[in-house]
């Protein structure tokens, strides 16, 4: 029979090798498929770090289970195992490591959140109005309105969100930001797009039958192109007709 | 006249009379010119139908006799306990906790199949890009699927295995309040039926979370769901009180708290959660109902109400509810591990402490469902901390399981296979939970398939794997017969492989940007979705094997011994199935529940001889 | 239980524990309602939110509070009589408590009928009626329990040994009275 200590060493060695290999493999992956904003970049690094840290945790349990399933089978032996009720040192280590992990993750997450939220200042503002089932964008600088979202590249954009009827959620996957549009209150979010291009936007909160198709297009362009585009938009043309009802009529 | 005795026939008649009186009187009032809405008709009709049903089944007859000061007929009361071997008691207001446990199990598994069929319809719609059933139908199907599966997860282990086993495991003859126990069960059939027939009322499309304002504009089926949920809530509060009094007051002599089986501990903490949290969601759903039916404006933004308030109240219940679903499964798993590893449960006191901490912490994490809701940013930080903190006590469950398995003498019977499957699934659920607890990653993952995959890994991993493990483990005790080991293994491997093949790819779908609760998606995700649909269909088929195994073994399986697993807890020290009063003599307990290896205690036979 | 020798002491302590747990759950229910009230009120520009809309006068609800507090006192005496086995005392005191409760409900009904605003009167009407209505429903349930006590006492079934129902009703009633006072302070005064 293998002595208990040797089992531990063998399993620990397997675990260490698998963890290192796994962590190295994961560390190189870009997880968020399209990254077109500063915020999405922060989220991607958080994602990668969490993924790297999960590998040893995952491997610990998996190696423990697999090793036991192979080596500790009873194989018809009816005898009981050793009467071990616990192990003070091991329990303390387990608790200590999990607390340390939690505090580390929390600190990193909180720092990331502060970084994403950033200062409450912006170079450009867009007002978003959501309704069943369409998005409307207004640009206060010129009063222009549109059904597409146009923002400048490399500048901090303040997005102010409202809803006329039910809860929607403003989401541009490539920006890594998501913010509910809540009737009765105004929500906001800041984003700095880093790569010019066209990106899909979606409603992320169930808002009824049309939820599936409640999409919009986001165009990120340089300031000059954006200005030209804004000039072409007639002020208030899109928003001039009152939003279709779906909202409270009883008030 | 048999039909006139309290029973199902009379209950159905009672429900019909109640519905006719309730709905009829309002319809009449509408005819004579009063302003009556459909919601009011449905509401009063349902309420009176429920009361009529309970009267018909005989829920109140002893209490009424007692309340008016008449002698309760003791013989009749004993008869309500049922006679062993009489199948009719499963369809009556029977007060035996073992009968009630089986009633819950049968109800839960039936509901599981219905809700599973709804999932098959969902995967049918999602198998290919484009629409087949349509967006309306899809929204209603996933709402019904969610509502029913939540009920399954809430009632199956607690109501089924808990009712059957807790009194026996602590050495009691029954629950503290057997009639209330039966009432808790019989409160369920009508609301479950109401949710099942909600498509006839126009369905509801707001998901099980029922966020207003969407749920305020939804069809009448929405109201049916809200009323059903409140009824189920009342039932679970009653059952929680019953469990707590039973556990705290009815233990056999020598059964100190720290000698209780871990499964009993899990149900105790679960009951505290159910007791404290359920009335909050009942309150929230009632306010929502009033908004819909009586014209109040709690959650009507246009009239000064607050839609986010609903989310706070809802998740204040519904996050603890995740542990109401999960903890009993964890308890069942830790109960089973020592038996098939032939070792004492590793770090038992720490495991008890972890259950209690999970219970306490679960009340402080609700707002992590609302990281993108627009609530104040400063509130994200403490909620992120408490949410991540809850992984410490949850981790202790893994410590206990792994510590018990390590150096054990593992017997891979079917329940033990489910233990391994559980640890894997719950591990994936736990690790991916950290990604959702972390606000930066949640901002991108929120409301995507990543969340869908995560909660299926935790709830199926926690509740359903635990339910299957427990059902196989206690099957010989409950039925007195052995299940087929071969079919059980087939079920395990088929289910587990299909489950992982279904939900692992969903993490990827979520990262790729596939949203929850949509009937259609970008064409480039078609291949993976087809695979997922195929795998999901296999889950359903594997459950058919389970049903076949259970039904066949119950009727014709080989006789089971009293203690086929050589386990040490009390339920195995009495006959299979246990006699009507559980024990011929109440045992005296002289050691902990898992003294394998002859450590501190005496062998099983010595510690609990009747 | 219905089995073999029943221990009345155990049954009694089980029942009273159950009542306490039930009250804990009820507290959470009222907690949810109060939370809704305070959140909505704090977000409102004024309270009542509509200008020129007056809160109901204090007189009737104030009287109701006096009745509730007084009925807790008479309930206390009911319990004392029950413990000492004073059968006529039980009937007298529970009868008085019941009477006070009935007057409470009548006054509340009158107030509801003459308030001049309804459930659909915005957030003020919603919170006002739902909170007081839930409380009123609890009072009614308490009256039902008292009616059972009266009936059983009249039949001579309440004694020094058998008065669990009296104690259980009293716990519940103290809770209802406390919730009522809190409600009064919040809805009418604060």
């Amino acid at each position: 029979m293998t002595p208990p200590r040797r089992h531990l060493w063998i399993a620990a060695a397997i675990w260490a090798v698998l963890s290192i290999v796994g962590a190295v493999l994961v560390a190189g992956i870009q997880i968020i498929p399209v990254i077109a904003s500063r915020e999405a970049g922060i989220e991607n690094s958080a994602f990668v770090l969490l993924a790297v840290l999960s590998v040893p945790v995952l491997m610990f349990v998996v190696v423990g289970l697999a090793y036991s399933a192979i080596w500790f089978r009873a194989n018809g032996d009816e005898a009981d195992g050793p009467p071990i009720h616990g192990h003070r040192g091991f329990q303390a280590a387990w608790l200590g490591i999990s607390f340390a992990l939690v505090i580390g993750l929390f600190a990193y997450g909180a720092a990331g959140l502060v970084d994403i939220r950033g200062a409450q200042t912006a170079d450009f503002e867009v007002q978003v109005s959501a309704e069943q089932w369409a998005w409307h964008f207004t640009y206060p600088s010129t009063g222009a309105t549109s059904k597409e979202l146009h923002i400048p590249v490399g500048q901090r954009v303040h997005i102010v969100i409202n809803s006329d009827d039910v809860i929607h959620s403003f989401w541009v996957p490539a920006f890594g930001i998501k913010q509910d549009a809540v009737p009765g209150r105004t929500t906001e979010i800041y984003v700095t797009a880093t790569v010019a291009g066209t990106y899909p936007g979606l409603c992320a909160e169930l808002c009824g039958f049309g939820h599936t198709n409640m999409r919009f297009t986001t165009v990120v362009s340089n300031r000059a192109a954006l200005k030209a585009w804004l000039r072409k938009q007639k002020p208030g043309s899109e928003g001039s007709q009152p939003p279709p009802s779906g909202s409270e009529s009883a008030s | 006249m048999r039909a006139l005795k309290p029973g199902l026939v009379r209950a159905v008649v009672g429900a019909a009379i109640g519905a006719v009186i309730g709905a009829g009187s309002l319809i009449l009032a509408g005819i004579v010119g009063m302003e009556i809405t459909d919601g009011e008709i449905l509401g009063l009709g349902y309420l009176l139908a429920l009361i009529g049903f309970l009267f018909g089944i005989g829920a109140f007859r002893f209490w009424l006799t007692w309340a008016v000061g008449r002698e309760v007929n003791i013989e009749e009361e004993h008869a309500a306990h049922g006679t062993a071997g009489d199948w009719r008691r499963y369809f009556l207001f029977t007060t035996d906790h073992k009968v009630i446990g089986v009633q819950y199990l049968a109800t839960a598994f039936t509901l599981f199949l219905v809700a599973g069929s709804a999932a098959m319809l969902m995967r049918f719609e999602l198998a290919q890009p484009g629409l087949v059933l349509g967006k309306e139908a899809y929204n209603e199907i996933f709402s019904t699927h969610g509502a029913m599966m939540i009920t399954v997860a809430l009632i199956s282990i607690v109501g089924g295995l808990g009712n059957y086993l807790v009194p026996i495991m602590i050495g009691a003859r029954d629950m503290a309040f057997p009639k209330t126990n039966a009432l808790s069960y019989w409160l369920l059939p009508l609301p479950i039926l109401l949710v099942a027939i909600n498509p006839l009322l126009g369905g509801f499309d707001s998901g099980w979370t029922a966020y207003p304002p969407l749920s305020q504009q939804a069809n009448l089926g929405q109201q049916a769901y809200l009323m059903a949920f409140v009824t189920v809530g009342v039932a679970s509060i009653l059952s929680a009180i019953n469990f707590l009094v039973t556990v705290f007051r009815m233990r056999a002599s020598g059964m100190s708290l720290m000698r209780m089986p871990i499964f009993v501990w899990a149900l105790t903490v679960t009951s505290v959660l159910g007791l404290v949290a359920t009335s909050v969601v009942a309150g929230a759903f009632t306010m929502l109902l009033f908004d819909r039916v009586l014209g109040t404006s709690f959650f009507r933004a246009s009239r000064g109400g607050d839609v986010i308030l609903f989310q706070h109240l809802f998740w204040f219940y519904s996050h603890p509810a995740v542990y109401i679903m999960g903890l009993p499964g964890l308890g069942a798993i830790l109960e089973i591990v020592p038996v098939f590893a032939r070792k004492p449960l590793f770090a038992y006191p720490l495991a008890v402490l972890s259950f209690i901490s999970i219970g306490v912490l679960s009340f402080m994490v609700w707002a992590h469902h609302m990281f993108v809701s627009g609530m104040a940013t400063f509130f994200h930080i403490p909620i992120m901390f408490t949410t991540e903190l809850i992984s410490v006590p949850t981790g202790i469950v893994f410590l206990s399981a792994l510590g018990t398995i390590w150096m054990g003498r593992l017997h891979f019977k079917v329940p033990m296979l489910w233990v391994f499957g559980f640890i894997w699934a719950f591990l994936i659920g736990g690790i991916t939970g950290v990604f959702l607890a972390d606000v930066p990653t949640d901002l991108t993952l929120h409301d995507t398939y990543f969340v869908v995959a995560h909660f299926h890994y935790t709830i199926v991993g926690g509740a359903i794997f635990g339910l299957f493990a427990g059902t196989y483990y206690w099957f010989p005790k409950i039925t007195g017969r052995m299940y087929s080991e071969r079919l059980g293994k087939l079920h395990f491997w088929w289910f587990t492989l299909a489950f992982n093949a279904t939900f692992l790819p969903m993490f990827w779908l979520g990262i790729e940007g596939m949203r929850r609760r949509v009937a259609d998606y970008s064409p480039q995700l078609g291949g993976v979705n087809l695979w997922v649909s195929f795998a999901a269909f296999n889950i359903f088929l594997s459950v058919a094997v389970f049903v076949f195994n259970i039904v066949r073994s119950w009727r014709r399986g080989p006789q089971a011994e009293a203690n086929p697993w050589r386990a040490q807890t009390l339920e195995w020290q009495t006959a299979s199935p246990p006699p009507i009063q559980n024990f011929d003599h109440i045992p005296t307990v002289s050691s902990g529940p898992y003294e394998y290896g002859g450590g501190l205690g005496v062998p099983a036979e010595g510690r609990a001889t009747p | 239980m219905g089995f073999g020798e029943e221990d009345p002491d155990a049954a009694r302590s089980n029942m009273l524990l159950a009542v306490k747990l039930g009250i804990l759950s009820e507290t959470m229910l009222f907690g949810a309602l109060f939370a809704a009230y305070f959140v909505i009120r704090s977000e409102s520009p004024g309270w009542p939110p509509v200008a020129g809309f007056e809160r109901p006068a204090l007189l009737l609800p104030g009287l109701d509070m006096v009745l509730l507090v007084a009925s807790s006192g008479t309930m206390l005496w009911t319990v004392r009589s029950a413990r000492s086995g004073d059968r006529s005392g039980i009937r007298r005191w529970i009868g008085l408590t019941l009477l006070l409760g009935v007057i409470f409900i009548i006054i509340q009904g009158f107030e509801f009928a003459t308030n001049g605003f309804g459930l659909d009167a915005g957030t003020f009407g919603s919170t006002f009626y739902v909170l007081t209505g839930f409380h009123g429903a609890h009072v009614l349930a308490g009256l039902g329990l008292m009616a059972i006590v009266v009936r059983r006492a009249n039949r001579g079934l309440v004694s020094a040994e058998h008065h669990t129902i009296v104690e259980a009703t009293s716990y519940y009633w103290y809770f209802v009275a406390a919730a009522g006072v809190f409600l009064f302070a919040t809805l009418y005064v604060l």
Side-chain angles (χ1 to χ4, degrees):
Chain A
M1 239 190 81
T2 327
R5 208 165 274 274
R6 187 175 306 164
H7 281 301
L8 268 184
W9 284 119
I10 298 172
I14 300 173
W15 168 72
V17 170
L18 288 177
S19 297
I20 293 168
V21 171
V24 168
L25 287 179
V26 171
I29 302 178
Q30 175 188 327
I31 298 181
I32 297 180
V34 182
I35 300 174
S37 79
R38 187 184 73 91
E39 289 73 13
I42 299 170
E43 282 158 25
N44 189 64
S45 0
F47 217 138
V48 171
L49 179 88
L50 291 183
V52 167
L53 284 179
S54 345
V55 173
V57 177
L58 180 78
M59 286 308 165
F60 187 89
V61 178
V62 169
V63 169
L65 286 183
Y67 192 90
S68 306
I70 294 167
W71 286 102
F72 302 138
R73 281 173 177 275
N75 288 330
D77 179 4
E78 296 287 292
D80 281 356
I84 304 165
H85 285 262
H87 186 286
R88 244 167 220 285
F90 193 68
Q91 287 164 221
W94 181 285
L95 279 179
I97 292 172
S98 20
F99 269 115
L101 267 178
V102 162
I103 288 168
L105 284 179
F106 166 70
Y108 184 75
L113 175 63
V114 169
D115 198 6
I116 287 175
R117 293 285 185 244
Q120 309 277 305
T121 54
D123 313 309
F124 189 77
E125 183 177 311
V126 187
Q127 286 169 356
V128 179
S129 169
E131 63 168 0
Q132 286 169 318
W133 291 280
W135 296 94
H136 305 275
F137 302 95
T138 308
Y139 304 85
S141 53
T142 64
T145 60
S146 71
K147 287 198 176 255
E148 283 181 351
L149 174 62
H150 284 246
I151 59 169
V153 66
Q155 287 191 308
R156 193 164 162 80
V157 179
H158 184 204
I159 299 172
V160 181
I161 306 166
N162 280 296
S163 166
D164 285 331
D165 37 43
V166 301
I167 301 173
H168 305 273
S169 194
F170 172 88
W171 184 33
V172 182
F175 293 171
I177 49 164
K178 192 178 285 148
Q179 183 62 56
D180 284 1
V182 184
R185 55 172 82 185
T186 300
T187 54
E188 54 174 3
I189 198 159
Y190 293 86
V191 67
T192 309
T194 48
V195 185
T198 304
Y199 306 99
L202 309 155
C203 174
E205 177 69 47
L206 176 65
C207 57
F209 298 140
H211 173 55
T212 299
N213 292 341
M214 191 169 159
R215 304 161 179 276
F216 60 93
T217 304
T218 307
V219 179
V220 178
S221 53
N222 63 43
R223 188 93 207 192
L226 178 65
K227 270 195 175 153
W229 179 84
L230 276 174
R231 263 198 304 277
K232 273 194 283 176
Q233 306 303 308
K234 252 191 278 165
S237 65
E238 198 276 329
S240 60
Q241 65 269 61
S245 65
S247 54
E248 301 288 344
S249 51
S251 53
Chain B
M1 288 289 286
R2 163 136 259 128
L4 289 180
K5 280 187 159 180
L8 260 187
V9 176
R10 214 159 104 165
V12 170
V13 173
I17 294 175
V20 167
I21 294 177
S25 59
L26 287 184
I27 291 173
L28 275 184
I31 291 174
V32 300
M34 289 172 68
E35 252 186 72
I36 302 291
T37 62
D38 289 352
E40 287 165 349
I41 294 173
L42 176 65
L44 195 63
Y46 170 72
L47 194 65
L48 294 190
L50 187 63
I51 293 172
F53 182 85
L54 292 174
F55 264 103
I57 199 78
F60 302 125
R61 57 190 171 134
F62 297 117
W63 285 326
L64 285 179
T65 318
W66 173 87
V68 298
R70 293 222 189 85
E71 258 330 294
V72 176
N73 185 335
I74 298 289
E75 270 177 28
E76 236 184 84
E77 203 175 328
H78 280 199
H81 209 82
T83 319
D86 178 6
W87 61 270
R88 274 178 311 221
R89 66 199 169 129
Y90 292 105
F91 299 92
L92 295 173
F93 190 81
T94 307
T95 52
D96 184 346
H97 70 100
K98 299 188 286 300
V99 173
I100 295 171
V102 173
Q103 287 171 329
Y104 268 108
L105 280 175
T107 309
F109 278 121
T110 310
L111 202 54
F112 186 60
L113 293 179
V114 177
S117 313
M120 293 307 104
L121 287 176
M122 289 162 66
R123 286 319 311 181
F124 177 64
E125 168 66 67
L126 293 173
Q128 285 290 284
L131 293 170
V132 193
L133 304 168
K135 290 182 277 188
E136 282 90 345
Y138 181 78
N139 284 8
E140 284 163 12
I141 292 167
F142 78 66
S143 299
T144 307
H145 166 78
M148 287 185 167
M149 280 301 192
I150 292 290
T151 315
V152 171
L154 282 175
I155 69 169
S156 55
I157 302 190
V158 180
L161 297 175
N163 258 310
Y164 198 102
L165 293 157
V166 165
I168 314 182
M169 288 174 115
I170 61 169
R173 296 217 184 275
D174 204 316
M175 297 283 277
F177 306 104
K179 286 178 287 240
T180 313
N181 200 17
L183 174 66
S184 306
Y185 172 74
W186 285 106
L187 272 168
L188 299 179
L190 218 53
I192 288 176
L193 189 70
L194 193 63
V195 170
I197 63 158
N198 89 75
L200 301 179
L201 298 165
F204 71 109
D205 65 336
S206 63
W208 82 279
T209 48
Y211 279 9
L214 188 61
S215 56
Q216 286 168 333
Q217 43 167 260
N219 286 329
L220 210 53
Q222 180 75 54
Q223 189 189 334
Y225 164 60
L226 295 175
M227 295 190 306
F229 200 105
V230 172
T231 317
V232 173
V234 172
S236 48
I237 292 174
L238 290 177
S239 130
I241 294 176
N242 216 341
F243 271 114
L244 289 174
V245 176
T246 306
V247 168
F248 285 122
R249 289 290 158 80
M250 309 212 19
R251 300 193 304 276
S253 96
M255 176 63 78
S256 60
L257 286 177
M258 293 311 278
R259 279 183 189 162
M260 291 202 307
I262 196 77
F263 181 65
V264 178
W265 263 113
L267 283 194
T268 306
V269 176
T270 303
S271 301
V272 173
L273 297 184
L275 178 73
V276 176
T278 311
S279 45
V280 175
V281 81
F285 272 28
T286 307
M287 287 184 248
L288 185 53
L289 270 173
F290 286 177
D291 273 8
R292 283 184 58 101
V293 182
L294 301 178
T296 57
S297 24
F298 288 100
F299 310 126
R300 290 199 183 272
S302 56
R303 286 194 248 156
D306 183 352
V307 300
I308 301 286
L309 170 66
F310 176 85
Q311 297 179 19
H312 280 294
L313 293 173
F314 178 81
W315 288 114
F316 185 81
Y317 161 78
S318 294
H319 198 80
V322 171
Y323 294 96
I324 296 178
M325 302 170 206
L327 276 177
L330 300 182
I333 293 299
L334 292 189
E335 189 66 43
I336 293 168
V337 169
V339 179
F340 294 93
R342 310 309 300 166
K343 263 183 70 196
L345 182 64
F346 190 82
Y348 166 90
L350 204 56
V352 170
L353 186 67
S354 85
F355 284 177
I356 296 172
S357 328
I358 288 175
V360 172
L361 279 173
S362 73
F363 284 104
M364 306 178 194
V365 300
W366 78 92
H368 65 225
H369 296 268
M370 302 165 59
F371 282 151
V372 303
S373 73
M375 69 175 183
T377 303
F378 69 83
F379 199 46
H380 290 62
I381 304 261
I383 290 292
M384 174 162 58
F385 181 66
T386 49
T387 304
E388 287 172 354
L389 195 59
I390 214 167
S391 63
V392 174
T394 314
I396 293 174
V397 174
F398 289 95
L399 168 73
S400 261
L402 280 179
T404 312
I405 289 169
W406 189 256
M407 299 300 295
R409 302 268 191 285
L410 306 184
H411 296 260
F412 281 99
K413 300 284 188 190
V414 175
M416 190 60 158
L417 290 176
W418 285 100
V419 168
F420 273 61
F422 165 94
I423 297 176
W424 163 257
F426 205 66
L427 176 70
I428 299 294
I431 288 178
T432 53
V434 175
F435 291 81
L436 297 170
D438 185 71
V439 184
T441 39
D442 183 61
L443 288 181
T444 184
L445 295 174
H446 192 89
D447 269 324
T448 65
Y449 260 74
F450 193 91
V451 177
V452 176
H454 160 72
F455 72 70
H456 279 90
Y457 263 99
T458 47
I459 303 210
V460 178
I464 303 300
F465 273 71
L467 175 66
F468 281 135
T471 305
Y472 282 110
Y473 175 62
W474 282 298
F475 185 82
K477 181 50 62 184
I478 293 173
T479 63
R481 292 176 185 275
M482 289 305 288
Y483 59 83
S484 153
E485 191 75 17
R486 280 178 59 197
L487 287 177
K489 283 185 173 154
L490 174 64
H491 171 215
F492 168 78
W493 285 110
W494 199 354
F495 183 96
T496 306
L497 291 176
F499 168 77
N500 284 289
T502 305
F503 291 102
L504 268 181
M506 284 190 188
F507 289 115
W508 181 81
L509 286 174
I511 292 170
E512 286 295 314
M514 182 163 164
R515 295 166 292 161
R516 284 177 82 173
R517 297 172 163 177
V518 288
D520 196 8
Y521 48 84
S522 339
Q524 74 265 24
L525 302 177
V528 174
N529 269 300
L530 183 62
W531 165 261
V532 167
S533 288
F534 167 74
F537 190 58
N538 274 281
I539 299 182
F540 195 77
L541 290 180
S542 77
V543 175
V545 176
F546 167 75
V547 174
F548 175 75
N549 191 1
I550 292 300
V551 171
R552 202 189 66 156
S553 305
W554 199 325
R555 292 177 59 198
R556 283 186 296 185
Q559 294 285 329
E561 305 158 42
N563 191 358
W565 312 126
R566 299 183 295 131
Q568 297 188 350
T569 40
L570 287 184
E571 80 272 26
W572 298 105
Q573 318 309 326
T574 184
S576 297
I580 200 115
Q581 295 191 45
N582 295 348
F583 302 94
D584 296 331
H585 300 283
I586 295 290
T588 303
V589 181
S590 56
S591 67
Y594 315 108
E595 302 295 350
Y596 299 99
L600 299 170
V602 283
E605 289 75 23
R607 65 185 280 272
T609 17
Chain C
M1 285 279 294
F3 273 108
E5 68 289 16
E6 244 183 73
D7 179 356
D9 279 344
R12 178 162 164 270
S13 90
N14 286 357
M15 176 54 82
L16 294 183
L17 176 60
V19 172
K20 285 177 202 161
L21 293 172
I23 287 174
L24 176 63
S25 179
E26 292 276 21
T27 308
M28 293 304 291
L29 173 65
F30 276 97
L33 295 174
F34 274 111
Y37 172 82
F38 283 117
V39 167
I40 288 172
R41 182 169 169 172
S42 71
E43 287 167 354
S44 192
W47 197 256
V50 183
F53 187 99
E54 287 299 317
R55 283 210 254 181
L58 279 175
L59 177 66
L60 288 180
L63 187 60
D64 254 358
M65 284 312 110
V66 175
L67 287 175
L68 262 193
V69 173
S71 70
S72 303
T74 56
M75 182 56 97
L76 189 65
W77 285 105
T78 315
V79 175
R80 288 198 170 185
S81 313
R83 282 190 188 143
S84 60
D86 172 5
R87 294 186 177 211
S88 65
I90 300 173
R91 285 155 66 179
R92 188 167 58 243
W93 288 114
I94 193 71
L96 191 55
T97 317
L98 184 62
L99 183 69
L100 291 172
V102 169
I103 300 174
F104 174 96
I105 286 291
I106 291 172
I107 292 180
Q108 195 180 38
F110 178 76
E111 197 204 344
F112 279 13
T114 55
N115 263 339
F117 64 95
L119 257 179
D120 48 1
T123 47
F124 186 82
S126 307
T127 50
F128 179 85
Y129 281 111
V130 170
L131 265 70
T132 51
F134 258 91
H135 181 254
H138 279 78
V139 171
L140 277 179
L143 297 183
L145 286 173
M146 288 178 207
I148 294 173
V149 175
V150 169
R151 172 78 181 184
R152 288 184 63 85
N154 283 340
R155 293 206 149 210
L157 293 169
V158 179
S159 63
E161 295 80 36
H162 293 281
H163 61 272
T164 312
I165 177 71
V166 180
E167 301 238 11
T169 308
S170 76
Y171 287 3
Y172 177 77
W173 193 249
Y174 301 145
F175 165 73
V176 170
V181 171
F182 196 62
L183 205 66
F184 174 74
T186 323
L187 288 184
Y188 295 93
V189 183
L190 208 68

